[in-house]
Amino acid sequence: MWKQLGMAICAGWLSTCAFANELAPEIEGVLDGEPHEWFILSQGSDSNASFIELGEEVRVDITGFIDGERWDAREALTISLTLLEDELITADVIYLIGDTPLPPLYTSEDAQVTVSLTHYERDRQTVHIAGSIQGVMALQVQLDAPPSLEEGIDIDVLFDVQAQKVKF
């Protein structure tokens, strides 16, 4: 009986550890002076961290959500990276402040944002990518209006993400 109880406690502890690891944020840092965490959500082979190959380029798209259990656009952070021969050639970052991916939002477009990679490893089906985003993001109020740094927010976050290959 004691052996069974001990095994049940160990199994419970292990599942708690596994659950805690699943809920660890993949993106975290400071946004506008406040600490934030974002989670990559997935369901089966559908993940909010994915990549595609476009000839020699690799395009990695990441969306982090503030709730580790719900797809909710409000306060989501999206990161789009394009790599050529394992080197970052373009990066776009958007912080959604509404319920849709439409303005108003904060963007790295016409802003002072630096995206740096600290790790990039790719196999056939996954990409492990890590790095940082630092600077000031610009506020875009309307779709046809240019972003403004005057109402920008500071960003200083780290990301460490496993992206899945998109299959067509």
Side-chain angles (χ1 to χ4, degrees):
M1 179 172 146
W2 289 108
K3 184 178 179 181
Q4 290 173 336
L5 181 59
M7 290 180 69
I9 291 171
C10 286
W13 179 77
L14 287 173
S15 67
T16 302
C17 289
F19 184 72
N21 286 339
E22 288 180 36
L23 292 180
E26 287 87 353
I27 307 168
E28 58 186 322
V30 177
L31 185 68
D32 200 24
E34 297 290 324
H36 280 73
E37 297 178 333
W38 293 272
F39 301 88
I40 305 302
L41 303 180
S42 61
Q43 185 173 26
S45 63
D46 184 17
S47 174
N48 286 97
S50 61
F51 76 96
I52 59 171
E53 298 166 319
L54 301 167
E56 296 293 314
E57 294 181 356
V58 174
R59 172 80 185 237
V60 181
D61 290 307
I62 303 163
T63 301
F65 297 95
I66 59 167
D67 186 336
E69 298 176 7
R70 234 174 32 144
W71 278 269
D72 185 0
R74 185 174 294 278
E75 297 186 68
L77 185 69
T78 68
I79 307 166
S80 294
L81 308 168
T82 303
L83 295 101
L84 179 62
E85 297 179 9
D86 301 343
E87 296 293 322
L88 182 64
I89 58 172
T90 63
D92 296 305
V93 182
I94 297 174
Y95 176 64
L96 303 175
I97 54 179
D99 293 327
T100 67
L102 298 172
L105 52 78
Y106 289 96
T107 179
S108 62
E109 182 183 339
D110 295 334
Q112 299 170 345
V113 175
T114 301
V115 177
S116 302
L117 298 184
T118 57
H119 182 81
Y120 177 75
E121 182 179 346
R122 178 175 153 216
D123 65 29
R124 292 180 152 200
Q125 301 302 316
T126 61
V127 165
H128 178 204
I129 193 161
S132 65
I133 304 166
Q134 297 177 320
V136 179
M137 295 181 67
L139 176 64
Q140 184 172 11
V141 178
Q142 295 180 346
L143 205 52
D144 58 350
S148 169
L149 269 175
E150 291 177 18
E151 297 182 64
I153 58 170
D154 294 328
I155 186 168
D156 186 1
V157 300
L158 300 173
F159 58 92
D160 191 343
V161 176
Q162 289 278 94
Q164 297 178 13
K165 184 174 185 175
V166 174
K167 297 177 185 175
F168 296 101

